[in-house]
Amino acid sequence: MRIGELAERAGVSVRALRYYEEQGLLTSARSTSGQRHYSEDAVERVLFLQRMYTAGLSSRTITELLPCVESPSEETSDAALERMAEERDRLTDHIAELVRTRDSLDALMAINRAHRETLRTA
């Protein structure tokens, strides 16, 4: 199938498919005129990539996880699980930092409200 059909069937943009190819996450065959052609299983591959991106994984991390998909074994499964746990820990740390940042902003807003109140009563 051609790139437009794959994009439609997978619910992504043509630009996303080109990006996936640039990152080595998706492959296509080229016609003599240079048009991309994809196999039928490319739809499932793109849907898989979308699930990985939705989970907050980067292209680099997805590339590290692909052996589990392409050559499933206990070893690759364990490695993928470990890598995903690392990403989860990274996200947890990031969330904690965001909460601290939000709390700091809340404190500044409280100071501003108190200051505004003094302006009203002055």
Side-chain angles (χ1 to χ4, degrees), residues 76-119:
T76 59
S77 180
D78 289 346
L81 186 58
E82 184 177 325
R83 185 65 179 101
M84 286 186 284
E86 290 170 4
E87 282 300 307
R88 188 178 191 291
D89 290 345
R90 183 189 63 77
L91 287 171
T92 299
D93 292 344
H94 186 64
I95 290 167
E97 180 60 32
L98 287 172
V99 168
R100 286 190 293 274
T101 301
R102 185 201 56 207
D103 291 348
S104 294
L105 182 57
D106 286 345
L108 287 174
M109 291 170 68
I111 291 167
N112 181 269
R113 285 186 188 103
H115 177 69
R116 287 183 70 223
E117 196 58 39
T118 63
L119 294 174

Side-chain angles (χ1 to χ4, degrees), residues 14-27:
V14 168
R15 184 174 182 215
L17 296 176
R18 288 187 183 121
Y19 174 78
Y20 297 161
E21 279 200 58
E22 288 172 12
Q23 299 302 307
L25 302 172
L26 183 66
T27 58

